[in-house]
Amino acid sequence: MTFQTTLSRRIFTAAVLCFAALAAGAQDKYPSKPITVVVPQAAGGANDAIARVVAQKLSEQLGQSVIVDNRPGAGGTLATGATARARNDGYTLLLTADSAHVIGPALYKNPGFDPVKDFAPVAPVATAGYVLVAHPSFPANTVAEMVALAKANPGKYSIASAGNGTLNHLIGEMLQKAAGIQLQHIPYKGSAAAATDVVGGQVPLSVQSLPSAIAFIKAGKLKVLGVVNEKRVAALPDAPTIGETIKGFGQAPWYALFAPAGTPAPIVAQLQAEVARALEHKDVVDKLATVGCEPFKGTAAQLAALVQSDLPKWSRVVKDTGATVD
């Protein structure tokens, strides 16, 4: 074998190896296929509305389809547990509400997941406005009037929620305890179904996210008795907070993106950066505002700290209110 032949073979082999390495690198580039974002609540609620706004922008930025997959049930714990067991390759993510992630574990004896050990926090995404609404025919027009009415008629009035263990349910329980009243809880399979029955007059009251209720409110089919959030919301600037009547009452529901534990750190970092980039876009901010939501900017580390601080807080709320999922 000549020197030239040997050299040619070595050059050929090196070229093949280089091409193989480049091909492997191209295959490993993330994302190289569609991403599924699991939403553990039904369509029509705050989590669904937020997920669709953000998924559209992430799809534009990443150059891949980002598919929203609604999987409601058991206060969000079923889908959350299933996502925790999904492949940790960055192609199955969870966009969830605080209710499913940090309240569910306090309500269910076996929620099917560990909110800390089973997930890699990616980034906070948004906060949502929540309101106490009533059918227009309901005799009370304010929180104070509703409390007086409920105290005079214990157990007479019903309050609809998005389901047992949901944030709507827990806020309703907290309201009853704070006001010293008794309402009959009626759980539905999702916020939209609950809001529809209040509009129809089957149930007089409900705690609703603004994405679920704002169209009905603007159409005059629901009236707002009070805003759940600690501050008035931009979408309803004239609506007073419940805390203006019941001192100390107020919640700021949050929504965030998680990946299954063990997802490679570079992918988590990339997703965090892409979420931050998406929340800077005016069209995203405007779309969130139209449904009563606001961007919630932060890092994976800040989200992890939020989960750690909220778990004991909501555990105390569940214990103090006596809320159950039965």
Side-chain angles (χ1 to χ4, degrees), residues 8 20 22 45 51 68 72 85 90 109 112 139 178-179 185 195 216 218 221 232 262 272 282 318:
S8 297
L22 289 172
V68 175
R85 295 184 291 274
K109 292 181 179 179
H185 175 226
F216 293 127
K218 290 184 175 180
K221 296 180 179 180
R232 296 192 183 198
Q272 176 187 297
K282 186 178 184 299
V318 170

Side-chain angles (χ1 to χ4, degrees), residues 14-34:
V16 169
L17 292 174
C18 183
F19 178 80
L22 289 172
Q27 290 176 350
D28 291 341
K29 183 181 178 182
Y30 175 86
S32 60
K33 62 182 181 179

Side-chain angles (χ1 to χ4, degrees), residues 63-316:
Q64 286 288 347
S65 297
V66 180
I67 303 161
V68 175
D69 182 7
N70 296 89
R71 301 184 198 173
T77 58
L78 292 179
T80 303
T83 308
R85 295 184 291 274
R87 289 187 64 180
N88 53 5
D89 56 4
Y91 290 98
T92 302
L93 306 173
L94 179 75
L95 206 163
T96 190
D98 52 358
S99 57
H101 212 72
V102 298
I103 300 175
L107 279 168
Y108 293 84
K109 292 181 179 179
N110 183 19
F113 66 95
D114 185 304
V116 176
K117 295 179 181 179
D118 290 344
F119 289 94
V122 175
V125 175
T127 58
Y130 270 67
V131 286
L132 174 65
V133 294
H135 186 270
S137 67
F138 187 64
N141 293 308
T142 66
V143 170
E145 291 176 359
M146 183 278 293
V147 170
L149 197 64
K151 283 185 175 180
N153 302 274
K156 177 180 178 180
Y157 299 104
S158 300
I159 184 166
S161 82
N164 286 320
T166 61
L167 188 59
N168 315 63
H169 174 201
L170 262 291
I171 291 171
E173 295 289 342
M174 291 170 64
L175 177 60
Q176 293 179 68
K177 184 174 178 63
I181 59 176
Q182 182 182 349
L183 303 170
Q184 183 181 356
H185 175 226
I186 309 294
Y188 283 78
K189 292 182 178 180
S191 297
T196 298
D197 266 16
V198 179
V199 169
Q202 285 85 356
V203 186
L205 297 166
S206 183
V207 171
Q208 287 285 322
S209 68
L210 277 177
S212 301
I214 197 163
F216 293 127
I217 293 167
K218 290 184 175 180
K221 296 180 179 180
L222 289 176
K223 62 182 177 183
V224 178
L225 302 186
V227 172
V228 171
N229 301 61
E230 296 166 340
K231 299 179 181 179
R232 296 192 183 198
V233 294
L236 300 170
D238 297 327
T241 66
I242 295 174
E244 291 174 42
T245 300
I246 303 174
K247 301 302 179 184
F249 190 92
Q251 294 296 323
W254 55 260
Y255 301 81
L257 189 67
F258 295 84
T263 299
I267 291 178
V268 173
Q270 181 181 348
L271 288 168
Q272 176 187 297
E274 294 294 346
V275 170
R277 180 181 164 200
L279 296 180
E280 291 293 333
H281 282 269
K282 186 178 184 299
D283 61 331
V284 170
V285 176
D286 290 346
K287 286 176 182 178
L288 290 175
T290 60
V291 292
C293 300
E294 297 180 1
F296 182 14
K297 301 173 185 177
T299 65
Q302 289 169 329
L303 176 56
L306 180 61
V307 170
Q308 291 279 13
S309 65
D310 271 11
L311 283 168
K313 181 187 80 172
W314 281 107
S315 180
R316 287 192 299 271

